[in-house]
Amino acid sequence: MAGKVWLSIVTAGMLALAGCGGGTISTEGASSVEFEGVVRSVQGAPLAEVEVVNIRTGDSARTDSLGNFTLRTEVVNGEVELLVSGNNLGGTVKVTGLPSGDATAKVELRVDSTDGAVSVELLELQESEPAGSNGGNAGGSDD
């Protein structure tokens, strides 16, 4: 009986350590972005049932029949590297210049089926208001 209890304690300890991730990935400078986008071929055709994945976090979204997707994910140091895959396609693209706060980014991803190259066009970037913000008015009047 004592052997089974010891095995359970060791196993629980190993699982707890395995889940901690080792602390090797820093989240300093982390924020989040919601990508609202579309995935198209270089010819402009929408790509359905394609997966868009943040390589660093594993967050993912799948495109609908019109190639549209929405993906909320973590941004570190103003960038996210996305993997676009499915339907015999596969390639990565780095989205840079993202703000240090939360934001919504409208993007168009273009995939070249011949070489897997992915390009990104940032169509719109909207930064979110910080929590508790009142639009710059510090509670005073506008007189």
Side-chain angles (χ1 to χ4, degrees), residues 69 85 93 106 112 130-131:
F69 71 95
S85 66
V93 65
K106 294 187 179 183
D112 187 334

PDB file of all heavy atoms in Angstrom, residues 69 85 93 106 112 130-131:
ATOM      1  N   PHE A  69     -11.930  34.384 -41.182  1.00  0.00           N
ATOM      2  CA  PHE A  69     -11.597  33.802 -39.887  1.00  0.00           C
ATOM      3  C   PHE A  69     -11.487  34.908 -38.849  1.00  0.00           C
ATOM      4  O   PHE A  69     -11.286  36.079 -39.176  1.00  0.00           O
ATOM      5  CB  PHE A  69     -10.278  33.014 -39.939  1.00  0.00           C
ATOM      6  CG  PHE A  69      -9.058  33.887 -40.085  1.00  0.00           C
ATOM      7  CD1 PHE A  69      -8.326  34.290 -38.972  1.00  0.00           C
ATOM      8  CD2 PHE A  69      -8.643  34.313 -41.329  1.00  0.00           C
ATOM      9  CE1 PHE A  69      -7.216  35.098 -39.105  1.00  0.00           C
ATOM     10  CE2 PHE A  69      -7.526  35.121 -41.479  1.00  0.00           C
ATOM     11  CZ  PHE A  69      -6.803  35.520 -40.362  1.00  0.00           C
ATOM     12  N   SER A  85      -2.352  26.678 -43.013  1.00  0.00           N
ATOM     13  CA  SER A  85      -2.216  25.324 -43.557  1.00  0.00           C
ATOM     14  C   SER A  85      -3.568  24.699 -43.839  1.00  0.00           C
ATOM     15  O   SER A  85      -4.581  25.067 -43.254  1.00  0.00           O
ATOM     16  CB  SER A  85      -1.430  24.440 -42.591  1.00  0.00           C
ATOM     17  OG  SER A  85      -2.155  24.253 -41.396  1.00  0.00           O
ATOM     18  N   VAL A  93       3.877  33.394 -41.984  1.00  0.00           N
ATOM     19  CA  VAL A  93       4.073  34.824 -42.201  1.00  0.00           C
ATOM     20  C   VAL A  93       4.159  35.493 -40.841  1.00  0.00           C
ATOM     21  O   VAL A  93       3.472  35.096 -39.893  1.00  0.00           O
ATOM     22  CB  VAL A  93       2.936  35.429 -43.059  1.00  0.00           C
ATOM     23  CG1 VAL A  93       1.592  35.380 -42.346  1.00  0.00           C
ATOM     24  CG2 VAL A  93       3.269  36.849 -43.477  1.00  0.00           C
ATOM     25  N   LYS A 106      -7.437  43.942 -38.897  1.00  0.00           N
ATOM     26  CA  LYS A 106      -8.082  43.358 -40.067  1.00  0.00           C
ATOM     27  C   LYS A 106      -6.983  43.073 -41.076  1.00  0.00           C
ATOM     28  O   LYS A 106      -6.217  43.969 -41.442  1.00  0.00           O
ATOM     29  CB  LYS A 106      -9.136  44.301 -40.623  1.00  0.00           C
ATOM     30  CG  LYS A 106     -10.283  44.486 -39.644  1.00  0.00           C
ATOM     31  CD  LYS A 106     -11.426  45.261 -40.210  1.00  0.00           C
ATOM     32  CE  LYS A 106     -12.507  45.351 -39.146  1.00  0.00           C
ATOM     33  NZ  LYS A 106     -13.693  46.018 -39.612  1.00  0.00           N
ATOM     34  N   ASP A 112       0.410  31.426 -51.819  1.00  0.00           N
ATOM     35  CA  ASP A 112       0.834  30.952 -53.139  1.00  0.00           C
ATOM     36  C   ASP A 112       0.913  29.426 -53.085  1.00  0.00           C
ATOM     37  O   ASP A 112       1.758  28.874 -52.377  1.00  0.00           O
ATOM     38  CB  ASP A 112       2.185  31.546 -53.497  1.00  0.00           C
ATOM     39  CG  ASP A 112       2.606  31.238 -54.918  1.00  0.00           C
ATOM     40  OD1 ASP A 112       2.156  30.210 -55.475  1.00  0.00           O
ATOM     41  OD2 ASP A 112       3.398  32.017 -55.472  1.00  0.00           O
ATOM     42  N   PRO A 130      -7.649  51.449 -23.055  1.00  0.00           N
ATOM     43  CA  PRO A 130      -7.265  50.783 -21.806  1.00  0.00           C
ATOM     44  C   PRO A 130      -8.434  50.731 -20.841  1.00  0.00           C
ATOM     45  O   PRO A 130      -9.295  51.602 -20.859  1.00  0.00           O
ATOM     46  CB  PRO A 130      -6.145  51.665 -21.244  1.00  0.00           C
ATOM     47  CG  PRO A 130      -5.694  52.514 -22.387  1.00  0.00           C
ATOM     48  CD  PRO A 130      -6.864  52.630 -23.329  1.00  0.00           C
ATOM     49  N   ALA A 131      -8.479  49.708 -19.999  1.00  0.00           N
ATOM     50  CA  ALA A 131      -9.547  49.569 -19.001  1.00  0.00           C
ATOM     51  C   ALA A 131      -9.578  50.805 -18.118  1.00  0.00           C
ATOM     52  O   ALA A 131      -8.549  51.301 -17.680  1.00  0.00           O
ATOM     53  CB  ALA A 131      -9.317  48.322 -18.160  1.00  0.00           C
TER      54      ALA A 131
END
